[in-house]
C-alpha cells in the first residue's frame, strides 16, 4: 500500500530557511509547498524553493566518492577515500604541523550549525586555526561593526515604517523582506532606494537616489551633517545612551551635502531631503545590502556610519528600527584552538575584539598562502573557485596543494580541481537545526530540520564524514555524537526546546525568545556600557574612531589606467543562489544566460548594442557575456552578475589583493574595467556555449561513470572588559 507522509521542515537552498511542507511517498519526496504558519514566508516559496525537488533529484548529483587520477576522476569506495585522505593529512601534519590545513565552508554553511560547526571543530581538533568561510567576504563586517558600536548586534526587523534599501534589492535576494514590503507598503510604510541601478522597487519609493558605486560612506556622512546642523537628532536618547557625540559634531562639519554630491553623484538636495525624512521617522531602518556595503574600500566605516545614523535618530530598539534580540543559546559545536588564523595579524579587528576571538581567517589571503602556509584544503558546501574573488589566483593556488578535498552535492568548478570529491546529502537527507534570526530580520524562530528521505546514492552528511575522518586521524574523542540526532540534541540543549518537543509537539517550529523593545541599563555591552559613537576599538588598531570616507582603491578619481568604466559585480539573481541551481531546467528557463548591464550612453560610447556579446576586462582577467543595454543603470558603470561558470565567471575580474583595509574584505562592487564588443566569430562561440549551459569543457561528458553536471556550477553580545572566556562559535549567532 502507498504510504504518504507530510513532514514540516525548512528550505536551505539559500540562507533564509523558509518553512516548508514536504510530502514523502514510499521514501521519495514528491512535493514541496510553503508552510503557512512560518513567520518568514507565510506559506510562500520563491522559485528556487518551489523547484527544490528538481535540484535534489537532479541526475547531475554526485553519486559516489571520486579520486583524481591521471586520466580523470575514478569511482572509489568511501573507506578507500577516507583512509587515503586521512593518511595524507596525517603525513602533512607530521611533516609541516597542523596549521597547514585550511577548511572552507560557503554561505550555505553560515546559518547551518552542523556544517559550519563541525568544520570548525574538525580543523580545531586537527590543530589548525585556519577556518575560512564567506564570513570574510560577506556580512560579518556589519556584525563586527555593530558589536564595536553597541556591544550587541541590533538588526532591522521585517516590519518598518521607513525602509531605506541601501544597496539591497529584496526582490532578488531577500524573499522574506520582499513579502514584508508588500504587506507594509500597502499599509502606508515609506520606501527609499539607494542604488546605482534603478531596481523595480524604486517605482514605489518616496525617493530614488542613484549613487556612484562604492561611495555610500560619503552620503552617510553628509546625512549626519544635515541631521546635526539642523538639530534633527534625538538628544535625550543620545544623552542617555551614547558616548562621543560631541566629537562627531565636530568631525562631520566639513561633510556637507555639496561635498558629498561631488563624490556620490547624488544631488545635495536629495541628501538633505533623505536626512530629514529619516530623522523625522521613529521606526525607520537602514536595510544595508547583505554584502554590497561590505565589498568596497570603505566597508567597515560604511557600517559604522549606518550604526551611528540609527543611533542619533533614536532608531534603536524601537519597533521598526534596529532591534537587539536577547541572546539565543545553543550547544557549541565549535572547539577552541591555539594560534591565529591567516589574516589575524593583518586585520586584527576581524579576529579579535575586547578579548573575544572569532574562529575565522581572512579568505582573501588564501591564494598567497599556498603552498607555504597551507598545503591541504578541505571545502564543504562552497564553491570558492567561482565565488571567491580572483578565480585565477585561487585556481593557480589550489593546483599547488598537496591535498584538496571537496564535499559537495555537485561537480563544481572547485570539485574539478580536487584530489578527492565526496558526495554530500541535501538538506532533506539529514537532521539539523533551522534557526531564523540574523539575516532574517530579528525573528527568533526555531525549527527542527527533519531528515525527510534517506541519503540519495552514496551521499553522506557532514556529521558522518567528519566523524569517520576524525576516527582515522585519532581525533575520535572530539566527535562523540553517535548519530546526527544526538548531535542535534546537543545543539538544542541550552535553547530549552528539546529535540523530541520540536519533532512531535512543534514540528512547525517555535519562537525561542521574546524580543524586548526599549533601552534598559546595561543593554549595550561595550566597555563604556554605552553606544560608542567614538570607537576606541577602531582607534586601538590604528583606524579612525569616527566614521570617515575612503575612495575605492580602483576609482575614476584615482586614474583609469586603460580601464575607463566602473565595475560592480554580483547583484543577485532571483532564480539562483550564487553558483548553484543553473542545472534546474525550470529555473534556467527563467534566466537562461548571464547578462552584463550598461546604460544607453555607455553603449553608444563603446559601440555595443543590446544583445551583443562583449568582453569585460580588468587588471586580473577577462570574461565574455551578453550585454543588456538598459536605462535603469548608471552611465559609466558595468554591472556583471556572479556565479556563472567558465568564461562568464565574474570573479575572473575581481582581485584578492584589492582589500578593504580594516577587515580585509575584497572589493567586488567598485572596481574598474574595460568593455569591448566581440567580433562576430567570437560572439557565435559564446552563444553556443551559453546554449549548452556554458559547459566550457563540453566533450568531457563522463567523469568516472557520472554524467558531468552542467552545474559548473547574533545577537552576538560582546563581554565587558575583562570578560569571561567566551566559547568560539562558528555561525552568525556569534
Ligand atoms: N536569489 C538569491 N538570493 C540571495 C543570494 C543569491 O545568490 N541568490 N545570495 C544571498 C547572499 S549570500 C547575500 S550576501 C545576499 C546579498 O544581498 P544584497 O547585498 O542585498 O544584494 P542584492 O539584493 O543583489 O542587492 C544589491 C543591490 O545593490 C546595488 N549596488 C551595487 N553596488 C552598490 C553600491 O556601491 N552602493 C549601493 N548603494 N548599491 C549598490 C546593486 O545594483 C543591487 O541592486 O543575497 C542573498 N540572497
Ligand atoms: N563577484 C562577486 N562574487 C561574490 C559575491 C558578489 O557579490 N560578487 N558575493 C559573495 C557572497 S556575499 C557570498 S556569501 C559567496 C557565496 O559563496 P559560496 O557559498 O561558495 O557559493 P555557492 O555557489 O552557493 O556554493 C555552495 C556550494 O555548496 C553546495 N551545497 C549545497 N548544499 C550543501 C550541503 O548540504 N552540503 C554540502 N556539503 N554542500 C552543499 C552547493 O552544491 C554549492 O556548490 O559568494 C561571493 N561571491
Ligand atoms: S528564499 Fe527561497 S530558496 Fe531561500 S529559503 Fe526561502 S524558499 Fe528557500
Ligand atoms: Mo553572502
Amino acid at each position: 500500500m502507498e504510504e504518504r507522509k507530510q513532514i514540516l521542515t525548512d528550505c536551505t537552498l539559500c540562507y533564509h530557511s523558509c518553512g516548508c511542507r514536504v510530502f514523502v511517498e514510499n521514501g521519495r519526496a514528491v512535493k514541496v509547498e510553503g508552510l503557512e504558519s512560518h513567520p518568514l514566508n507565510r506559506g510562500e516559496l520563491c522559485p528556487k524553493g518551489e523547484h527544490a525537488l528538481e535540484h535534489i533529484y537532479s541526475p547531475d548529483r554526485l553519486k559516489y566518492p571520486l579520486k583524481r587520477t591521471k586520466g580523470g576522476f575514478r569511482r572509489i569506495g568511501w573507506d578507500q577515500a577516507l583512509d587515503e585522505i586521512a593518511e595524507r593529512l596525517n603525513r602533512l601534519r607530521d611533516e609541516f604541523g597542523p596549521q597547514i590545513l585550511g577548511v572552507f565552508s560557503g554561505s550555505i554553511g553560515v546559518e547551518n550549525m552542523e556544517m559550519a560547526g563541525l568544520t570548525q571543530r574538525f580543523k580545531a581538533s586537527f590543530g589548525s586555526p585556519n577556518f575560512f568561510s564567506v564570513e570574510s567576504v560577506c556580512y560579518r563586517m556589519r556584525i563586527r561593526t555593530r558589536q564595536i558600536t553597541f556591544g550587541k548586534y541590533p538588526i532591522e526587523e521585517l516590519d518598518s515604517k521607513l525602509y531605506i534599501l541601501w544597496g539591497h534589492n529584496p526582490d532578488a535576494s531577500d524573499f522574506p523582506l520582499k513579502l514584508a514590503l508588500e504587506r507594509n507598503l500597502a499599509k502606508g510604510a515609506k520606501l527609499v532606494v539607494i542604488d546605482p541601478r534603478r531596481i523595480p522597487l524604486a517605482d514605489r519609493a518616496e525617493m530614488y537616489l542613484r549613487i556612484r558605486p562604492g561611495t555610500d560612506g560619503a552620503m552617510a556622512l553628509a546625512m549626519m551633517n544635515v541631521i546635526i546642523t539642523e538639530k534633527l537628532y534625538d538628544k535625550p536618547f543620545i544623552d542617555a545612551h551614547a558616548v562621543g557625540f560631541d566629537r562627531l559634531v565636530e568631525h562631520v562639519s566639513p561633510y556637507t551635502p555639496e561635498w558629498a554630491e561631488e563624490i556620490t553623484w547624488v544631488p545635495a538636495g536629495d541628501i538633505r531631503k533623505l536626512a530629514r525624512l529619516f530623522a523625522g521617522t521613529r521606526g525607520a531602518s537602514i536595510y544595508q545590502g547583505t554584502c554590497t556595503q561590505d565589498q568596497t574600500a570603505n566597508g567597515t566605516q560604511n557600517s559604522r556610519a549606518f550604526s551611528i545614523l540609527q543611533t542619533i535618530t533614536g532608531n534603536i530598539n524601537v519597533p521598526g528600527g534596529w532591534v537587539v534580540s536577547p541572546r539565543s543559546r545553543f550547544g557549541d559545536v565549535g572547539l577552541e584552538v591555539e594560534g591565529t588564523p591567516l589574516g589575524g595579524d593583518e586585520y586584527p579587528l576581524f579576529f579579535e575584539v575586547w578579548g573575544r576571538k572569532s574562529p575565522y581567517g581572512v579568505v582573501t589571503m588564501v591564494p598567497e598562502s599556498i603552498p607555504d602556509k597551507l598545503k591541504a584544503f578541505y571545502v564543504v558546501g562552497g564553491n570558492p573557485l567561482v565565488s571567491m574573488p580572483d578565480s585565477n589566483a585561487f585556481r593557480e593556488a589550489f593546483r599547488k596543494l598537496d591535498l584538496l578535498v571537496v564535499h559537495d552535492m555537485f561537480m563544481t568548478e572547485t570539485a574539478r580541481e580536487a584530489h578527492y570529491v565526496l558526495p554530500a546529502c541535501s538538506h532533506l537527507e539529514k537532521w539539523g537545526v533551522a534557526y531564523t534570526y540574523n539575516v532574517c530580520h530579528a525573528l527568533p524562530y526555531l525549527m527542527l530540520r527533519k531528515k525527510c528521505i534517506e541519503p540519495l546514492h552514496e551521499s553522506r552528511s557532514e556529521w558522518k564524514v567528519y566523524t569517520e575522518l576524525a576516527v582515522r586521524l585519532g581525533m575520535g574523542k572530539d566527535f562523540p555524537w553517535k548519530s546526527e540526532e544526538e548531535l542535534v540534541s546537543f545543539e538544542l540543549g541550552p535553547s530549552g526546546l528539546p529535540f523530541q518537543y520540536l519533532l512531535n509537539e512543534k514540528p512547525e517550529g517555535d519562537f525561542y525568545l521574546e524580543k524586548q523593545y526599549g533601552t534598559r541599563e546595561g543593554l549595550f555591552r561595550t566597555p563604556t556600557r554605552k553606544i560608542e559613537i567614538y570607537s576606541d576599538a577602531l582607534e586601538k588598531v590604528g583606524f579612525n574612531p569616527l566614521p570617515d570616507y575612503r575612495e575605492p582603491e580602483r576609482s575614476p578619481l584615482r586614474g583609469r589606467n586603460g580601464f575607463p568604466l566602473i565595475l560592480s559585480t554580483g547583484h543577485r539573481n532571483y532564480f539562483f543562489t550564487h553558483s548553484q541551481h543553473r542545472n534546474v531546467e525550470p529555473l534556467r528557463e527563467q534566466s537562461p544566460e548571464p547578462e552584463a548591464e550598461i546604460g544607453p550612453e555607455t553603449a553608444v560610447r563603446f559601440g555595443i548594442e543590446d544583445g551583443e556579446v562583449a568582453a569585460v576586462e580588468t587588471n586580473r582577467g577577462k570574461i565574455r557575456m551578453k550585454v543588456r543595454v538598459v536605462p535603469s543603470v548608471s552611465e559609466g558603470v558595468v554591472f556583471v552578475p556572479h556565479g556563472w561558470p567558465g568564461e562568464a565567471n565574474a570573479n575572473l575580474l575581481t582581485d584578492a589583493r584589492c582589500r578593504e583595509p580594516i577587515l580585509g574584505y575584497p572589493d567586488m562592487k567598485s572596481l574598474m574595467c574595460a568593455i569591448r564588443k566581440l567580433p562576430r566569430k567570437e560572439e557565435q562561440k559564446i552563444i553556443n556555449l551559453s546554449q549548452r549551459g556554458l559547459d566550457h569543457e563540453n566533450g568531457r561528458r563522463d567523469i568516472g561513470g557520472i554524467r558531468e553536471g552542467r552545474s559548473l556550477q547574533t545577537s552576538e553580545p560582546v563581554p565587558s572588559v575583562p570578560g569571561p572566556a567566551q566559547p568560539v562559535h562558528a555561525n552568525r549567532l556569534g
Side-chain angles (χ1 to χ4, degrees), residues 10-20 32 34 40-41 44-52 172-176 427 440 574 576-577 581:
D10 76 324
C11 170
T12 69
L13 299 192
C14 80
Y15 57 52
H16 286 299
S17 290
C18 295
C20 59
V32 176
L40 268 187
N41 58 313
E44 308 280 331
L45 290 176
C46 84
K48 301 181 289 301
E50 280 175 351
H51 293 290
S173 71
D174 193 338
F175 186 62
H427 63 287
C440 295
Y574 191 34
F576 310 124
T577 300
H581 310 138

Side-chain angles (χ1 to χ4, degrees), residues 563-575:
F563 298 110
L565 295 165
I566 296 172
L567 172 69
S568 170
T569 67
H571 55 281
R572 296 313 191 243
N573 182 318
Y574 191 34
F575 303 101

Side-chain angles (χ1 to χ4, degrees), residues 106-107 381 383 387 407-408 430 462 569 572 579-580 651 669:
S107 82
N383 187 8
S387 60
H407 186 197
D408 201 295
K430 59 195 173 196
E462 288 72 30
T569 67
R572 296 313 191 243
S579 71
Q580 303 184 65
N651 282 318
K669 304 295 173 197

Side-chain angles (χ1 to χ4, degrees), residues 134 136-138 141 291-292 294-297 362-364 387-390 651 654-660 663-671:
V134 298
S136 47
V137 304
C138 171
M141 179 177 275
C291 69
T292 46
D294 303 349
Q295 295 162 354
T296 182
V362 173
V363 75
T364 44
S387 60
M388 293 301 105
D390 218 333
N651 282 318
T654 50
D655 187 344
R657 289 182 187 264
C658 185
R659 299 180 195 139
E660 191 269 353
L663 298 180
Y665 278 48
D667 196 326
M668 290 170 156
K669 304 295 173 197
S670 43
L671 296 166

Side-chain angles (χ1 to χ4, degrees), residues 162-163 165 181 185 189-193 201-202 204-207:
L162 172 61
Y163 293 85
L165 297 180
L181 267 167
L185 290 182
K190 290 186 175 156
L191 172 67
V192 172
V193 171
L201 274 167
R204 301 170 67 185
E206 295 288 300
M207 298 183 71

Side-chain angles (χ1 to χ4, degrees), residues 15 103-113 115-117 119-120 131-145 147 153 290-291 294-295 300 303 341-342 347 349-351 358-366 380-382 384 387-389 435 438-439 572 578 660 662-666 668 714 716 728-734:
Y15 57 52
V103 294
F104 176 89
S105 134
S107 82
I108 215 80
V110 162
E111 305 296 326
N112 181 322
M113 292 204 283
M115 186 188 291
T119 303
Q120 210 273 95
F131 176 29
F132 304 96
S133 86
V134 298
E135 296 284 344
S136 47
V137 304
C138 171
Y139 205 81
R140 181 149 291 267
M141 179 177 275
R142 101 180 46 197
I143 299 182
R144 201 33 129 212
T145 311
Q147 281 175 342
Y153 180 52
T290 314
C291 69
D294 303 349
Q295 295 162 354
T300 305
S303 286
L342 288 176
Y347 304 98
L349 202 56
F350 180 77
F351 177 57
S358 108
Y360 307 103
V362 173
V363 75
T364 44
M365 294 188 64
V366 164
V380 58
S387 60
M388 293 301 105
Y435 71 88
N438 283 343
V439 272
R572 296 313 191 243
H578 306 291
E660 191 269 353
I662 306 179
L663 298 180
Y665 278 48
M668 290 170 156
T714 240
E716 190 165 1
V728 178
H729 295 267
N731 55 58
R732 278 173 181 168
L733 286 171

Side-chain angles (χ1 to χ4, degrees), residues 435-467:
Y435 71 88
T436 296
Y437 173 64
N438 283 343
V439 272
C440 295
H441 314 294
L443 257 180
Y445 199 75
L446 182 62
M447 196 179 191
L448 188 63
R449 179 174 303 139
K450 283 97 179 164
K451 179 174 180 175
C452 302
I453 55 174
E454 287 303 313
L456 295 187
H457 318 295
E458 290 185 15
S459 66
R460 289 191 180 176
S461 71
E462 288 72 30
W463 164 78
K464 188 150 176 84
V465 175
Y466 281 129
T467 303

